[in-house]
Amino acid sequence: MTASDTPAVPERLRVAALRPIWQALHERLSSGHQVSRVKVTGLADEEQAAVADLLGLDRYPGPSITLDVGRLEGVLGGLDVRTVTEALIGPLDDRRRRRAERRLEREALLDWFATHPVVAAEPALLALSAVRAGRDLLEQALAVLAALPASGRPLAAVAADVTGDPHALDEGTRLSSLVLKALSVLYDIPAPEGAEARRALWERAGVACDALSTTVLVAGLRPRGDSALARVLRIWDGQASVITLAQLRDPLELRERDVWVVENPTVLALAQQRFGLSCPPMVCTSGWPNSAAVRLLRSLPGTRLHYHGDFDGEGLRIAAYTMAKTGAEPWRMSTADYLRAIGSRSGELPPGRVTDAPWDPGLAPAMRAHELAVPEELVAEPLLDDLA
């Protein structure tokens, strides 16, 4: 509707003394709800007189009056209150509609976030405030998380690889803050405070880490090939060895199809005691897998990775992270395995904060119900039986 199409509002309705009425109506009509009455307060004597004249009252209404919208429209000369209010005060809002739109947008964002492949693989990330961050920033943050651990690449290089902007993850940027928050959620540690803590968290995620001091523990690896690492591992003939990130330049071709991945070094040590030089291929993440562990597990073509870890809150998060980053399959990590493990347990070892296990929806509820953790070392014998 153009200005020329808008019905003319007579001057008698435009007087300043009636403005409180139109302002009160504008506020109520902008709510988006049906309005049948509106309360006007704080009327001065002159404004009371104008309201009395407009409505044909035989006395002043007082400082406050509740107006019947139908009765008010009866004295507007064929105009409706919306037309008069918009002409005198301005366009009406529809707060109810906008709230509904924002709610639908929030719900759509949360649905998208919950089903994003990175979040579906690592449900601990659901603790992030997705609505506050917004979709554009979340998409960038999840892309960064998918690229981690970074195998020792500098932070600027990671930022450039993922976003095209080498400064996108600089100190103080919203993206950097969100990614660090996500990493603290994944690792279940407090959000870093101070530059030193932030650097330590980036390094834990494999960013600009020391390629010599970042290592992974293995046993039973006798790869083919002429690379220096393959030759050294064959010389060790399956004995427990430590591989540095710097040594992991080329894929390792194993004769065996299955590789067994554990969280705790004790399990690998027990395997060495039982099998000696016949130990099957094993990799130990020693808790959260660092960039050396992830690179090694990604560089074993033609193998199936079987992962087992602790049955506690952090163990589930480590398992989800390891499987998401390497394609490993769960190994004796089902609800049934957990229930069997606690069947003969005595004492109490609480599992801590338990997040969902993507590979078995029933596992986290079972752990929350029983409130009992099972360290991997306590089920080492059944694990080793699978390797026999």
Side-chain angles (χ1 to χ4, degrees):
M1 180 180 291
T2 65
S4 60
D5 297 325
T6 304
V9 176
E11 289 300 323
R12 66 186 181 87
L13 300 178
R14 295 178 177 272
V15 297
L18 290 177
R19 191 169 181 84
I21 290 180
W22 312 127
Q23 288 177 325
L25 278 166
H26 192 278
E27 173 65 22
R28 290 286 288 114
L29 292 170
S30 291
S31 69
H33 295 279
Q34 189 71 27
V35 178
S36 59
R37 296 177 181 275
V38 62
K39 186 174 183 179
V40 186
T41 61
L43 294 174
D45 290 346
E46 181 183 359
E47 294 164 341
Q48 293 178 43
V51 171
D53 288 343
L54 176 65
L55 299 178
L57 305 177
D58 57 3
R59 66 188 68 182
Y60 284 8
S64 299
I65 182 173
T66 298
L67 297 174
D68 182 279
V69 172
R71 180 179 178 183
L72 180 60
E73 287 192 331
V75 299
L76 297 183
L79 299 175
D80 61 81
V81 292
R82 297 184 68 90
T83 298
V84 175
T85 300
E86 285 194 299
L88 299 180
I89 303 299
L92 292 170
D93 195 0
D94 190 339
R95 294 192 293 274
R96 182 183 187 184
R97 176 181 56 78
R98 287 197 293 112
R99 283 195 298 270
E101 290 173 349
R102 287 196 297 269
R103 183 177 65 252
L104 291 174
E105 290 172 357
R106 287 194 298 270
E107 291 172 354
L109 174 61
L110 292 174
D111 287 344
W112 166 83
F113 182 66
T115 56
H116 190 283
V118 172
V119 180
E122 301 177 66
L125 292 171
L126 289 170
L128 290 177
S129 179
V131 171
R132 182 178 300 176
R135 179 158 178 167
D136 289 344
L137 186 62
L138 282 170
E139 284 182 331
Q140 285 191 315
L142 292 174
V144 173
L145 292 172
L148 299 177
S151 299
R153 287 178 64 74
L155 188 60
V158 175
D161 291 344
V162 177
T163 71
D165 178 4
H167 300 291
L169 292 171
D170 283 358
E171 182 82 7
T173 64
R174 293 185 66 211
L175 180 59
S176 174
S177 298
L178 182 57
V179 173
L180 288 171
K181 174 64 176 175
L183 291 174
S184 68
V185 167
L186 279 177
Y187 298 141
D188 198 23
I189 60 176
E193 295 184 4
E196 184 176 351
R198 288 189 286 271
R199 282 195 299 271
L201 188 51
W202 281 124
E203 288 179 357
R204 184 170 182 177
V207 176
C209 58
D210 184 346
L212 294 178
S213 63
T214 302
T215 62
V216 56
L217 178 63
V218 303
L221 298 191
R222 305 172 186 83
R224 300 186 180 97
D226 293 326
S227 70
L229 179 59
R231 294 197 303 269
V232 167
L233 288 173
R234 287 200 301 273
I235 291 173
W236 278 100
D237 195 22
Q239 295 183 62
S241 308
V242 172
I243 301 175
T244 69
L245 177 60
Q247 293 172 314
L248 292 167
R249 296 188 180 93
D250 303 307
L252 293 177
E253 184 181 352
L254 302 183
R255 296 177 176 82
E256 300 87 352
R257 174 170 171 75
D258 296 299
V259 175
W260 309 90
V261 186
V262 295
E263 180 184 341
N264 298 282
T266 298
V267 179
L268 189 144
L270 291 171
Q272 283 273 278
Q273 290 178 8
R274 180 190 286 201
F275 299 111
L277 295 181
S278 300
C279 184
M282 296 187 71
V283 176
C284 179
T285 67
S286 301
W288 283 93
N290 59 26
S291 51
V294 172
R295 178 180 284 187
L296 171 62
L297 294 173
R298 287 173 173 173
S299 65
L300 300 173
T303 61
R304 292 179 58 188
L305 307 177
H306 307 270
Y307 179 82
H308 188 279
D310 293 332
F311 279 118
D312 60 16
E314 185 173 35
L316 295 193
R317 288 186 287 277
I318 293 174
Y321 181 87
T322 305
M323 294 178 199
K325 297 300 182 183
T326 68
E329 303 171 358
W331 167 34
R332 288 187 177 267
M333 288 290 287
S334 70
T335 304
D337 293 317
Y338 170 72
L339 294 176
R340 276 194 297 271
I342 65 172
S344 58
R345 290 286 318 278
S346 60
E348 293 186 1
L349 182 62
R353 183 174 68 91
V354 177
T355 51
D356 291 341
W359 64 92
D360 186 340
L363 179 55
M367 291 175 61
R368 295 187 192 108
H370 290 278
E371 297 184 338
L372 189 63
V374 181
E376 187 177 36
E377 296 89 339
L378 296 183
V379 294
E381 291 306 314
L383 295 177
L384 300 184
D385 289 343
D386 290 342
L387 277 61

